[in-house]
Every structure is written in structure tokens, then in C-alpha cells.
Amino acid sequence: MGHVTIDPNDKLAVMIEETGYDDHFHEHHHGDKYQSGFIGHYIFSMDHKIIARQFLITGIFWAIIGAGMSIIFRLQLGFPESDMAWLKPLLGKWITVNDGVGALSPEFYYALVTMHGTILVFFVLTAGLSGTFSNLLIPLQVGARDMASPFLNMLSYWFFFLAGVVMFYSLFISTGPFSGGWTGYPPLSALPQASTGSGTGMTLWLVSLTLFVVSVLLGGINYITTVLNLRTKGMSMWKLPLPIWAFFVTAVLGLLSFPVLASGFFMLIFDRGLGTSFFLSEIFINGQALDRVGGSPILYQHLFWFLGHPEVYIIILPAMGIVSEVLSVHARKPIFGYTAMVLSILAIGFLSFIVWAHHMFMSGVNPFLSNFFVIFTLIIAVPSAVKVFNWITTLYGGNIRFNSAMLFAIGFVSMFISGGLTGIFLGNSAIDIQMHDTYFVVAHFHIVMGIAAFFGMFSGVYHWFPKMFGRFMNEKLGRIHFWGTLVGAYAIFWPMHYLGMAGVPRRYYSFDTFDAFKHFGPMNEFITISAIIVFGLQLLFVINFFYSIFRGKKMTERNPYGANTLEWTTPIEAGHGNWPGKIPAVHRWAYDYGKDGKEFIPQYVPLAEGEVAGDAH
Amino acid sequence: MEVADINKPLTFRNRIHPWLFALWISFASIIMMFGALMSAYIVKSAAGNWLEFGLPSQFYISTGLILSSSVCIHLAYKSFVGKRESSFKAFLFAALALGISFIVFQYLGYQNMFAAGVDLKANVSGSFVYLITGLHVLHVMGGITAITVALINAFLLPFITTEKRKIRLKLVCHYWHFVDILWIYLFCFLLFYK
Ligand code: HEM
Ligand SMILES: [Cu+2]
């Protein structure tokens, strides 16, 4: 294996051969036989493109489970009196039937809420989103053969997979999965006897999430090393496409914050199993005082939110990166303010480490200290606003293609604005005293993080689907999916602001005994019905996804969107090492759209004589 | 499974090998992990109900052991690069032996603490010492595994100093220095933070 034959009619391949960088990759013995068996190729793959698909499909699996759970607990909230006996075949003893009327048991309601949060935040929006797109795009867009360590990259997926197996198993044990909220606050998480889910369920939750932390760290180390060390010739940091900047900062955040969560977990494990009292003090269970004194449950909250807040940016930054790219490509315009976009990503990344206590204004932290956190929290709105401004300006006057990818990218901007604004309410501790732990918070984070990140992910899937599977997804279904989800998501979460302002607390099994909240019954029904419809629309997406893998319209040219980035220079079915011959070298930034009368000029095209580079650097 | 030579350094960019770079990045994670525990320690000690006690004398000995182990592995690397086979093997072996005795002395230190009434549950301050040093021991064990593999390779493989073997040995070396420095830092912290 040494020679690569280049078709002389293939202008792009000839150009790469002439101007590209020769790393002598194909002179090595492995060549095309690398991992060619089924198991090596599809299961224990070390190819970043396959690993990306593994992350995505596993993420889709978890998204269906996590969203399905929310439908069950929404039924309870929207129709508390209705008969749920029909769910008995699925949920077994968690449905208690009295006089022929089935009811969801409160313990399981809490378990569902907890699992919904854990699964969506970690498995879907962290692994499924950043795992998928960092893997797919980092090597392709920086011009690398693969990740710095393909082996660790493979391990990263399999640790995630194992974490999933353990969590999945915990759903079926007799005491049920953990039920103390996705944040796992002690004492519910620290004392096995505290609630039904606090025993084996919590143990499995800890095991699963510890494995997950390992997965994130292995992935993150690889992403950072690849971006810093394996960029192709000419690809300076300031020529990186924005998704790469976003994935890079995301990986840094994960690398620095997940270990802190791990430390919190170790202390929890000691408290649970070895009798220490890191997080326990003055606790009564069944009227009995425990002899566990001296610890502080607030300590756990600090450790958790030191991860927890960066975590929400770990979720949203990749979506921001994807959206920046998609907006620019389909508006046929350079991204507005590239440098400001990069700087705002960095600023958000930095600030996200010094705002964590805004989740704890009501936990008894010193109000004087709270003031600092209020100020830093509100400052985050500045780089966020810069980004929003630049996205809108990018769209302004663009020659916009309203395809599914673009629609979801625009939808992302809308969601991010709506949800970000309510963040500013909550960031003021004086207002948060009223709003904390109400549906207002639920509305805030579902819009700004849940829906927005999903929109970013959908945008990325529709956009890069041809890159992953060589075929396109169905556009018509994609647009139905978009419009339905956009309207439906607002229908679900907008009313929750009113619930929250009226003081309706989150995480309650039922509001029957509160006269003040009785009149919200119809609103809750409306929310539940909307949720069911939106769930159905997501199934439409899943059908479209799997159908298109096998039957979608075939991709016939390498660069179907006329995009500038390097991933569109590989063969349609790119093998191991991504480029058959040399690696393309880079001469310009990724956003030369509509420059000098040309619709687009890809990154591998050298600057023409006398041409001024489009970017500032 | 064969690992492709995919990250053969790009000549125009890499002054350090990507694997070494990745290892350094992982240090940042480990530092954050211990940083979190130390911050928790500081916050908790300020909140009261905090038992003061001296660290067991064995910890001083183990500090000496891990320091000299670090020196040995450095000399082992130097010998490897200088193609001195027997001193390479001897220093590598010494590093391993000293590393294992570090763990033994940590364990003896725990026994000493226990005998003095500072058991795991007595007071949070004791729990912290066990947790922080225990977690460090786990990291040392990782290093010991790596040195063991290096030693087995040293005896089984023919003595050829290829670039690949150099970089692998360097990885082990750097990691081992890291857990050494980490211990000294933790030790000083537990000793002097009041
Ligand atoms: C301008 C920006 C933002 C500000 C000022 C802000 C502020 C806040 C505050 C103060 C809370 C705590 C509310 C409470 O529990 O009482 C909160 C909750 C939350 N925020 Fe934001 N936020 C912002 C943007 C975001 C973004 C971009 C995300 C995610 C991508 C996000 C995700 C969350 C989540 C997940 C929670 C709730 C966690 C829980 O209690 O379960 N926020 N936000
Ligand atoms: Cu936050």
C-alpha cells in the first residue's frame, strides 16, 4: 500500500495533491486493511467517523427513553384523576390499581423526574451532542487523519455505553432507580434508607455517572489535543471554523469541571458506604436521630454546581458552534464578527466557572457572597447577547436557504433569546427568592438549554447527515418536524412561566390539596397534550433518520451545500484517514462567502494574487 | 489491536508528541479533582466541629520514598536514552520497589492514625485525610501498573531505543513525577493548613 491513484478529472483531488500537505500517511503498512472486519469496523471502531455515529445513535436511544418518561409524569400532572391502569403492563407495580382505577405511585413519579433529568442532561445533551459532533467534525474540519489517540477515543464511547447499561439496569430493580432529583442532593442521596430510590438505585446512579465522567474526560483530552496539535498546514487557531472553537472550549470546561463532580461523588460514596459524615448533620429518619454529625449538605451543592453550571454550557456551546456554521453556510454570508464570536465563547467559558452559586441563593449561602454571584451571572448576559446579535446580523440581508438545518438554526436563536431573558430574572437573587424551585425555573432551563440545545443538535444532524451516511434526510418531514416542534415547545414551556410566577413549585406529584393552584388544572392539561404531540413529532424525526440512512436521497457531489470547510473535501465514502492522498492545506478562514463576486471560496483555495484575506487575522 | 500511527507528529507543528501533550492535559483534570477536595477541606474546617491532629510519622518516610523513586525513574530514562541497558533495568526496578514501599508506608500510617483514635468516621477532618491520601494512593497504583508494564517490556523486548519506546517511557516518567509532586503538595497542605 503506498500509492494513491488520483483521477485527473477530479479537480478537487488534483488540487489537494498539488497544494496539500504530505504526511506520508498511506505509506504505512496498515493502509486499507485497517479494522476491516465487522467487529473492528462497526463495534470496537477506532475511526472517529464511526464513533460519532455510535454516540449519535446511542443518544437517540436515550432521548426516546428520557422523553418517554416525561410523557408519563406529564400525564400525572395534566390528568391526575385519570385511570393509568393501561400503563401497568409497562410499569408493573409502580401503577397501583384501586377499585379498577390505576394511579402512578408517587415514588415512581419522583424516579421518573430524576431519570428524565439525568438522562437528558448527561446522556443525550452531553454525550449525544458534543460526543457526536466533536468526533465527527474535529478531525474533519481541522484536517487531521483522526483523533490524537483513536484508542482512548474508542474507550470514551465504551465508558459511555457502560454508564448507560448501568443506568438502564437501575430502571428495573425492585426499589426503582434513584428518585432524589438529577442533582443528587444529600441527604436523599447520602443515606440509603432515606427513600426507596436512595438504596440500590442511588448506588447504580453513582456507578453510572462515575463511568460517565471517565468517558467525558477521555473524550475531552482527545478533543483538546487534536485541536491543538493535529491541525493541518495553514490552519492557525484563528482560521478554525466556529464549531471547532466551541467544541474545544466545551472540552476544556468538561475537563476542569467533571473531576470536581467526581470528588463530590467519592465523598458521597464514603458517606453511603463507609459511615463518614461529609454531607450529613443532625438528621432524623422516622423520628430517630442519626449519629452522623459534623458534615454539611451545602458542601455537596457547591461541588455539584461547580460542575453543574459549566455543564449547562457544555451542553449549549456545541449547539452554538453548530448553529454559527449552519447559519453562515445557508445564508451564503460570512459569519458576522468572527473574532467577537470566538472571544465570547472564551468569555462564556471563563465566566461559567464563577457563577455556580446562583443555583444556591435559597440554600442558605451568605447573602453577601450571593452579591458576587449575582454580578458575574448577569455579566454572562453580555457575551451571550454578542452572540445573538452576530447571528441575527449574519442572517440580515442573506440569501437564505430555508432548509431543515437552517430552520432549526434560526429556531435555536429564538429559543436562546426567550430562555436567556428569563435567566436574567433568576440571576437577581432578590427575584430568585420568589422564583426558585418553581415552574419558572423549569421554563427557563428547558427553553434555554433543553429545547435550544436540541434545536442545535437537529440543525447539525440535518446539515451533516450526508457527511455521516452519504444520503440526505427527507426535507418535507424535516420541515414538519421543525414547525411542529417550534410551536409545540413554546406551547409546553411558555405557560410554565405563569405557573411559576404564581408560585407553583416544581417536582410536586400533585396539587390537589392546594386551593391556590386548582385553577391551573386546564393549563396543565394543555401542557400535557402539547407534550404528547411534540413527542410524536420527534418520533417522526427518528423515522426520518433511520429511513434516510438506507433510503434517503443519495449524495452525488462532495460539497452539496457549497460550503468552505474541509469536511466537504473528503470522498463521499471517506475511509480510514479521511483523505486518500495528501491532507488539504488551508489558506483562508472558513467564511469567504460572496467574496469578490464568488459565491464561496473553500479554505483550501490559495489566496489569489493581490487578494486580501477575508478575516481579520 | 494495532494502533495506527495516525498521530505521527506533523513536522511543522509538534514540538511535543501529542500523547505527551494529552497526558499533561489529564494532569489538569487530576489537579481539579484534588483541588475540589482541598477546597472542601478548607470550607469545612472553617465551619467548625473540626478535630485537629498530627499526621503519622510514616507519612514523612513515605515522602522520602516517593521522592527517591522519582529520582530513580528519571535515571532510568536517562540510561535508556544513553543506551545503558543494565543501569536502565536496575533503576526501573528500584523505582518500582520504592513506589510499592510508598504504598506500604501509607498503609502503616493509616494504622497509626487508627490506633490514635482517628478512624474514618470519628471526625470529618480525619475522613478528609483518609479520602485525599487514599485517592492519591489510587493514582500511585496506576503509576505502579505502568512501571510494571515498562519493566516487563524491559526484560522481554530486545534493548532497542526506538522513538516509540522512548516516548512511552517518557509518558510513564512524567506521570510518575506528577504523582510525586502531587503527594508533596498534598502532604504540605495537610501538614500546614490550619
Ligand atoms: C443569561 C444567561 C443566564 C442566566 C443569568 C441564568 C440564570 C439562572 C439562575 C439564577 C438559575 C437558578 C434558578 C433557581 O434554581 O432558582 C438558573 C437555573 C438553570 N439554568 Fe440558567 N441562566 C442563564 C442561561 C442559561 C443557559 C444558557 C443554560 C443552559 C444552556 C441554563 C441552564 C439552567 C439550568 C439547567 C437551570 C436549572 C437547574 C436546576 O435547578 O435543575 N441557563 N439559571
Ligand atoms: Cu447556572
Side-chain angles (χ1 to χ4, degrees):
Chain A
M1 277 309 304
H3 298 279
V4 192
T5 36
I6 303 285
D7 174 5
N9 298 321
D10 184 344
K11 275 206 237 131
L12 173 56
V14 171
M15 178 145 194
I16 292 176
E17 230 23 55
E18 280 169 3
T19 62
Y21 172 72
D22 191 0
D23 62 345
H24 306 284
F25 174 70
H26 289 275
E27 288 159 24
H28 291 285
H29 46 251
H30 44 262
D32 290 349
K33 282 210 276 306
Y34 176 79
Q35 289 206 319
S36 52
F38 180 81
I39 302 235
H41 190 74
Y42 287 109
I43 314 273
F44 294 107
S45 174
M46 294 200 273
D47 186 299
H48 71 101
K49 301 183 286 303
I50 301 277
I51 297 176
R53 285 175 248 183
Q54 291 175 326
F55 269 107
L56 180 57
I57 289 173
T58 316
I60 291 179
F61 168 82
W62 279 111
I64 296 171
I65 302 223
M69 288 172 162
S70 74
I71 297 301
I72 299 175
F73 67 69
R74 263 326 305 183
L75 282 175
Q76 161 66 28
L77 289 167
F79 305 94
E81 317 281 282
S82 72
D83 177 15
M84 297 223 218
W86 59 277
L87 278 169
K88 201 156 175 69
L90 180 65
L91 300 183
K93 70 168 184 178
W94 302 114
I95 300 283
T96 45
V97 182
N98 264 330
D99 303 328
V101 181
L104 182 69
S105 85
E107 290 85 8
F108 201 63
Y109 171 84
Y110 288 116
L112 286 174
V113 175
T114 304
M115 285 297 121
H116 167 76
T118 310
I119 289 170
L120 264 300
V121 167
F122 292 112
F123 292 175
V124 182
L125 293 179
T126 304
L129 177 56
S130 112
T132 302
F133 288 102
S134 300
N135 264 301
L136 179 73
L137 294 180
I138 289 178
L140 284 173
Q141 288 197 338
V142 307
R145 297 289 182 190
D146 203 310
M147 289 288 179
S149 170
F151 178 70
L152 292 187
N153 206 29
M154 173 185 82
L155 282 187
S156 161
Y157 173 74
W158 285 102
F159 269 99
F160 166 45
F161 185 85
L162 266 183
V165 170
V166 174
M167 194 64 83
F168 196 67
Y169 174 70
S170 87
L171 303 178
F172 299 99
I173 60 179
S174 70
T175 46
F178 180 52
S179 54
W182 77 277
T183 52
Y185 281 2
L188 283 180
S189 59
L191 292 167
Q193 67 273 37
S195 74
T196 40
S198 301
T200 319
M202 180 60 190
T203 304
L204 294 172
W205 190 90
L206 278 174
V207 172
S208 168
L209 284 193
T210 307
L211 292 169
F212 187 79
V213 172
V214 176
S215 158
V216 171
L217 296 182
L218 291 174
I221 290 171
N222 243 325
Y223 306 155
I224 295 173
T225 312
T226 308
V227 172
L228 291 183
N229 287 276
L230 300 184
R231 281 171 285 126
T232 182
K233 194 165 186 138
M235 181 68 91
S236 67
M237 288 300 273
W238 287 108
K239 289 200 169 59
L240 284 177
L242 286 171
I244 304 303
W245 270 108
F247 301 147
F248 173 69
V249 175
T250 301
V252 173
L253 295 189
L255 198 81
L256 298 179
S257 64
F258 269 99
V260 175
L261 180 70
S263 288
F265 283 173
F266 296 143
M267 292 158 84
L268 260 187
I269 290 169
F270 270 49
D271 274 5
R272 293 172 61 75
L274 302 174
T276 57
S277 309
F278 288 115
F279 302 137
L280 295 167
S281 199
E282 284 92 33
I283 307 246
F284 287 80
I285 287 191
N286 297 329
Q288 286 261 297
L290 301 187
D291 63 345
R292 312 279 285 276
V293 290
S296 153
I298 309 266
L299 195 55
Y300 175 87
Q301 299 189 12
H302 281 295
L303 293 174
F304 182 86
W305 287 113
F306 189 85
L307 157 90
H309 189 82
E311 167 65 15
V312 305
Y313 283 96
I314 288 171
I315 288 174
I316 208 70
L317 283 177
M320 289 176 162
I322 289 170
V323 163
S324 304
E325 180 70 21
V326 171
L327 285 178
S328 174
V329 172
H330 294 303
R332 312 308 291 151
K333 274 186 66 191
I335 189 81
F336 186 85
Y338 173 87
T339 315
M341 286 308 233
V342 174
L343 294 180
S344 57
I345 292 176
L346 293 170
I348 289 176
F350 172 73
L351 287 170
S352 73
F353 278 107
I354 48 175
V355 299
W356 77 90
H358 66 214
H359 296 274
M360 299 164 61
F361 289 147
M362 292 297 283
S363 303
V365 292
N366 185 336
F368 178 70
L369 224 84
S370 288
N371 287 339
F372 288 96
F373 286 100
V374 169
I375 289 168
F376 289 127
T377 300
L378 297 182
I379 291 178
I380 283 212
V382 177
S384 310
V386 168
K387 299 201 79 87
V388 169
F389 178 82
N390 288 357
W391 288 320
I392 295 175
T393 317
T394 303
L395 286 173
Y396 181 77
N399 192 358
I400 300 177
R401 301 174 182 151
F402 286 103
N403 52 21
S404 312
M406 185 61 160
L407 289 173
F408 272 108
I410 299 173
F412 168 93
V413 179
S414 160
M415 287 293 168
F416 188 72
I417 296 173
S418 313
L421 286 177
T422 52
I424 297 175
F425 288 57
L426 296 171
N428 291 281
S429 53
I431 302 179
D432 190 57
I433 292 172
Q434 300 299 317
M435 300 298 192
H436 178 66
D437 259 343
T438 68
Y439 271 88
F440 193 88
V441 176
V442 178
H444 159 65
F445 73 77
H446 276 90
I447 292 182
V448 75
M449 176 178 75
I451 306 299
F454 261 107
F455 274 28
M457 178 144 93
F458 287 137
S459 173
V461 171
Y462 283 109
H463 186 80
W464 280 288
F465 192 86
K467 196 70 237 165
M468 285 192 255
F469 300 103
R471 290 170 187 268
F472 290 89
M473 285 180 74
N474 184 303
E475 266 299 311
K476 204 167 255 148
L477 289 181
R479 281 179 217 180
I480 297 173
H481 175 214
F482 169 74
W483 288 109
T485 310
L486 181 80
V487 175
Y490 274 125
I492 297 170
F493 294 111
W494 200 265
M496 288 190 188
H497 293 103
Y498 301 110
L499 293 177
M501 283 189 270
V504 181
R506 67 193 276 208
R507 293 184 170 142
Y508 272 38
Y509 168 71
S510 111
F511 298 99
D512 293 355
T513 46
F514 304 97
D515 277 337
F517 305 143
K518 279 240 163 69
H519 62 285
F520 286 123
M523 195 185 255
N524 268 322
E525 285 179 25
F526 173 77
I527 294 176
T528 299
I529 292 169
S530 309
I532 293 171
I533 294 172
V534 170
F535 181 71
L537 283 165
Q538 307 320 301
L539 294 182
L540 191 69
F541 165 79
V542 175
I543 292 169
N544 189 354
F545 182 88
F546 286 103
Y547 180 83
S548 303
I549 290 180
F550 301 104
R551 294 283 162 78
K553 187 171 99 208
K554 273 212 159 153
M555 183 180 174
T556 48
E557 46 179 334
R558 291 176 187 207
N559 188 1
Y561 305 125
N564 289 343
T565 37
L566 294 183
E567 77 270 29
W568 305 106
T569 60
T570 69
I572 292 174
E573 298 215 352
H576 171 59
N578 297 337
W579 287 271
K582 296 181 182 171
I583 309 182
V586 162
H587 302 276
R588 55 178 76 238
W589 73 334
Y591 301 102
D592 274 338
Y593 292 104
K595 192 187 182 200
D596 301 339
K598 297 204 188 73
E599 199 199 347
F600 67 102
I601 314 177
Q603 284 192 281
Y604 59 81
V605 178
L607 287 183
E609 206 148 318
E611 186 187 349
V612 184
D615 56 325
H617 297 273
Chain B
M1 233 177 291
E2 194 214 7
V3 180
D5 202 5
I6 221 148
N7 34 36
K8 197 177 73 63
L10 300 175
T11 40
F12 59 89
R13 177 152 285 126
N14 289 284
R15 260 150 292 155
I16 54 170
H17 196 284
W19 288 355
L20 198 60
F21 191 82
L23 183 71
W24 288 354
I25 294 177
S26 72
F27 294 162
S29 272
I30 300 177
I31 290 172
M32 286 307 287
M33 194 155 102
F34 283 94
L37 290 173
M38 285 190 285
S39 315
Y41 183 98
I42 293 169
V43 170
K44 190 68 215 39
S45 67
N49 195 346
W50 187 257
L51 181 77
E52 301 273 355
F53 62 94
L55 293 179
S57 56
Q58 283 85 348
F59 281 10
Y60 293 87
I61 302 175
S62 59
T63 306
L65 289 171
I66 199 165
L67 254 176
S68 35
S69 175
S70 225
V71 173
C72 284
I73 204 142
H74 179 72
L75 294 174
Y77 181 74
K78 280 264 156 331
S79 314
F80 186 74
V81 177
K83 302 196 171 34
R84 293 184 297 276
E85 184 176 1
S86 54
S87 80
F88 162 60
K89 286 180 181 167
F91 280 125
L92 200 58
F93 184 79
L96 179 67
L98 288 167
I100 292 173
S101 40
F102 170 82
I103 294 183
V104 172
F105 272 82
Q106 294 299 82
Y107 181 73
L108 295 177
Y110 291 161
Q111 282 191 327
N112 195 343
M113 273 166 63
F114 192 84
V118 186
D119 66 10
L120 188 61
K121 302 187 230 177
N123 185 284
V124 185
S125 67
S127 313
F128 265 116
V129 173
Y130 283 105
L131 176 57
I132 293 176
T133 57
L135 201 58
H136 177 261
V137 164
L138 277 183
H139 285 83
V140 171
M141 285 178 177
I144 286 185
T145 316
I147 299 181
T148 310
V149 172
L151 199 63
I152 293 174
N153 281 342
F155 279 95
L156 292 188
L157 301 180
F159 188 77
I160 314 167
T161 52
T162 60
E163 277 309 308
K164 194 161 188 172
R165 285 183 69 185
K166 262 191 224 165
I167 187 73
R168 289 194 172 181
L169 194 62
K170 205 170 189 174
L171 291 177
V172 180
C173 233
H174 281 219
Y175 180 75
W176 197 241
H177 293 322
F178 174 72
V179 289
D180 174 19
I181 295 168
L182 181 61
W183 167 253
I184 292 171
Y185 182 69
L186 293 174
F187 186 56
C188 293
F189 173 79
L190 295 174
L191 208 55
F192 298 119
Y193 184 81
K194 283 284 159 350

